[in-house]
Amino acid sequence: MPSQKMENQLRMALELPESVRQETLDLDTGFSVAEDTWTVIVRYVGDIDRLETDGIIIEKLLGGYAVVILPAEQVDTFVAEPEIIYMEKPKRLNFAVTQGKRSACFAAVSEAPESLTGEGVLIGIVDSGLDFFHGDFRNPDGTTRLAAYWDQTAEGEPPEGYRRGRLYTEEEMNTLLAGEEDGTFRTELDTSGHGTAVAGIAAGNGRDQENGQAGAAPGSRILAVKLGVPGSRSFPRTTELMTGVDFLVRTAQKMGMPIAV
């Protein structure tokens, strides 16, 4: 009877021929062809040092865990030792954005035959701001992907119908981008970086990423609001949030485009 202390995926990997494992995405992870060894993760109790021999390497971790490298033919013997509570194989790590998009089911619709990119849709961001100089929010010619950016904290001309902040139109942003303003101004657009990060997850096109990883809707246009605060040492309130969302919806209606906020 197979050991109940061994992970099912590891058991499957041990039972399959090496050629079959290599064709899978994850079953071969942990196996060394050159050494004919497995690297495994174990949960243990008691003295595990006695199990370390010339052919077995044990790296003890906190919390009763250990990473063990051992010959393939000794895996079943090792897991049967009374000190071993559980054994599993290592898993391959991936870029978080790739895993996130797959978990959120974006991968299924962004690939053929649907190949959806968000083109024709507005993505609305209401947050700490957005650094529209960032390459992920610019077109291939360097112009902005933002249709409008309302900074509720800035002095200037607010959007029509609102009483505070400054509205940056698409034309104004493109003028600023053409002049490549200094870093101080960029920092002021989003002092914490949270809104820029959120916008990247939702709509970044990957142009400014070394790995080219794009967000969920890289072909969308963007509307952004930097939330204002009532005092110098305060936080935005629901009133700032409500006016921000109101601005996004009204702007989307004027543009005749659907919007995801």
Side-chain angles (χ1 to χ4, degrees):
M1 182 177 178
S3 171
Q4 298 301 303
K5 298 193 291 183
M6 183 182 294
E7 173 199 34
N8 288 335
Q9 192 178 58
L10 176 57
R11 170 58 60 194
M12 183 186 302
L14 292 172
E15 293 175 350
L16 287 173
E18 180 186 328
S19 58
V20 177
R21 288 202 312 265
Q22 290 178 347
E23 294 176 358
T24 69
L25 290 176
D26 204 51
L27 285 180
D28 212 41
T29 303
F31 180 69
S32 171
V33 177
E35 304 294 333
D36 193 28
T37 59
W38 277 95
T39 298
V40 296
I41 302 163
V42 300
R43 180 81 165 86
Y44 72 93
V45 293
D47 181 16
I48 197 176
D49 291 333
R50 74 171 188 85
L51 302 178
E52 188 163 20
T53 66
D54 291 339
I56 298 176
I57 301 172
I58 298 176
E59 186 176 14
K60 292 191 293 185
L61 309 177
L62 294 173
Y65 289 92
V67 175
V68 181
I69 303 174
L70 71 169
E73 70 272 8
Q74 295 187 40
V75 173
D76 283 310
T77 304
F78 192 88
V79 76
E81 295 288 352
E83 289 86 357
I84 305 302
I85 299 174
Y86 187 70
M87 176 189 289
E88 68 176 43
K89 63 186 296 301
K91 308 301 186 293
R92 188 190 307 273
L93 299 179
N94 297 282
F95 289 113
V97 66
T98 301
Q99 294 292 81
K101 287 194 291 185
R102 183 178 295 114
S103 299
C105 301
F106 279 107
V109 296
S110 63
E111 298 169 356
E114 287 84 1
S115 302
L116 301 178
T117 65
E119 184 176 356
V121 176
L122 288 165
I123 296 293
I125 306 293
V126 189
D127 210 293
S128 63
L130 194 156
D131 175 13
F132 54 74
F133 282 82
H134 195 288
D136 272 31
F137 312 117
R138 298 169 72 165
N139 297 308
D141 63 0
T143 57
T144 186
R145 292 175 56 209
L146 274 71
Y149 177 67
W150 180 21
D151 184 347
Q152 294 182 344
T153 69
E155 295 292 331
E157 188 69 29
E160 183 180 359
Y162 302 93
R163 302 298 181 89
R164 63 183 300 178
R166 174 181 174 179
L167 174 67
Y168 291 89
T169 65
E170 183 177 356
E171 292 74 17
E172 289 173 323
M173 284 185 281
N174 282 331
T175 298
L176 290 168
L177 293 176
E180 291 292 340
E181 287 280 347
D182 61 52
T184 302
F185 176 72
R186 288 189 60 178
T187 301
E188 291 173 351
L189 290 173
D190 182 8
T191 53
S192 76
H194 186 272
T196 300
V198 168
I201 294 169
N205 60 18
R207 290 183 66 245
D208 218 29
Q209 309 299 320
E210 290 184 5
N211 54 31
Q213 293 287 340
S220 63
R221 297 199 68 192
I222 303 167
L223 290 174
V225 176
K226 178 179 180 179
L227 290 171
V229 292
S232 60
R233 297 178 61 84
S234 186
F235 291 93
R237 302 165 298 188
T238 50
T239 45
E240 282 74 39
L241 176 62
M242 290 174 68
T243 54
V245 173
D246 185 82
F247 165 75
L248 296 181
V249 174
R250 287 178 185 268
T251 303
Q253 289 176 335
K254 290 180 181 177
M255 296 177 66
M257 295 178 66
I259 185 170
V261 179

